[in-house]
Every structure is written in C-alpha cells, then in structure tokens.
Amino acid sequence: MITDYLYMQITSSLESLACNNDITLVNAEDLSENVPDTALINTRAVIMNEHFDINVDYTYRLAHELSHILYGDHDAQAVYQFSEYGKRGEELLAHRNAIRTLMSIEMPSSPFNFMSYYKVPSWLENDAIRIYNELKVVD
C-alpha cells in the first residue's frame, strides 16, 4: 500500500465521500486474504478487506466499491464483490467510475502514472486514457 501524504489525502476524500452519502465503511482486519471487498447495496455499506491478496491498490478498490452504491443500478444486484477481471455490466461501470472519481479528486500527470500509482488492471488502459482526456479538457 502506498503511504505518502497525497495518498492519505485521497483515501480521506473517499472516506468523506462515503460519509457524505450515508455509506457505512467497514475496514475488516479479520478476514482471510481470499475474501474480496464487498459493496452491500441495500444497506449502503462497503466492507474493505485489509488483507485481500490482490495486486490492485486499496484506494482504487475502495473507489470501485463506492461506485457500485453511488452510480450503479441498484436493481441489478444486491451484493458486489471486487474482481479486477470484471469486464461487463455493473463491474465495468464501477471500474470506470472508480477511475473518474480518483482522477476528480487528484488529477494525475498522465493516465499511465495513474494506472501505475493505483495498480489499475492493464485492460482498463483505454478507459483511463479516455477519462483522463475528458477531465483534462475540463481543467
């Protein structure tokens, strides 16, 4: 996990986003490493497994799970579990919204630096470039 000051501020911004939208955030320290992070739509809760053994960064995963609750189709499914390989439907939407959310909090110097910083799965490169270019135009 990245531990620099900027990273802590970004994580804090995501935690504030959850709080401001009445989303309960649980940082579980007692789950095994194979239990994925989970978004519970009906109870508006996100459970983050601090020991989840995955190459994707915690903050990206948090943005992804929050995206399910903030921007997802609440009738599609009641529970989502993080998968770096979820390429369809609600999972793809959550990946794209996680990228947009994090870039909106702190605009990276390039989409490639963004992907490296958060260890975003490489198959999302085109989405990261597209969203970066959309947000860069707004700046």
Side-chain angles (χ1 to χ4, degrees), residues 44-122:
R44 297 184 65 80
V46 170
I47 301 168
M48 296 298 296
N49 180 357
E50 293 186 10
H51 301 291
F52 188 26
D53 186 21
I54 191 168
N55 191 40
V56 181
D57 182 72
Y58 172 90
T59 303
Y60 177 82
R61 296 180 356 242
L62 175 57
H64 175 98
E65 296 308 325
L66 289 173
S67 292
H68 280 300
I69 297 172
L70 294 171
Y71 312 113
D73 177 359
H74 296 156
D75 295 326
Q77 202 168 309
V79 177
Y80 292 93
Q81 293 186 315
F82 185 85
S83 169
E84 64 184 302
Y85 305 108
K87 298 181 180 183
R88 298 181 65 192
E90 288 294 305
E91 284 304 313
L92 179 57
L93 180 63
H95 280 300
R96 289 174 174 162
N97 282 321
I99 293 168
R100 183 174 301 283
T101 298
L102 289 168
M103 285 188 184
S104 296
I105 292 171
E106 180 63 34
M107 188 64 175
S109 58
S110 79
F112 308 106
N113 288 345
F114 174 87
M115 292 189 66
S116 175
Y117 190 74
Y118 294 106
K119 300 178 184 171
V120 177
S122 61

Side-chain angles (χ1 to χ4, degrees), residues 10-66:
I10 294 166
T11 303
S12 178
S13 293
L14 290 173
E15 291 167 350
S16 293
L17 180 64
C19 183
N20 293 339
N21 286 280
D22 298 316
I23 299 171
T24 301
L25 178 58
V26 177
N27 285 306
E29 299 176 1
D30 57 350
L31 298 174
S32 69
E33 64 185 24
N34 63 339
V35 176
D37 307 311
T38 304
L40 305 168
I41 302 305
N42 296 332
T43 57
R44 297 184 65 80
V46 170
I47 301 168
M48 296 298 296
N49 180 357
E50 293 186 10
H51 301 291
F52 188 26
D53 186 21
I54 191 168
N55 191 40
V56 181
D57 182 72
Y58 172 90
T59 303
Y60 177 82
R61 296 180 356 242
L62 175 57
H64 175 98
E65 296 308 325
L66 289 173

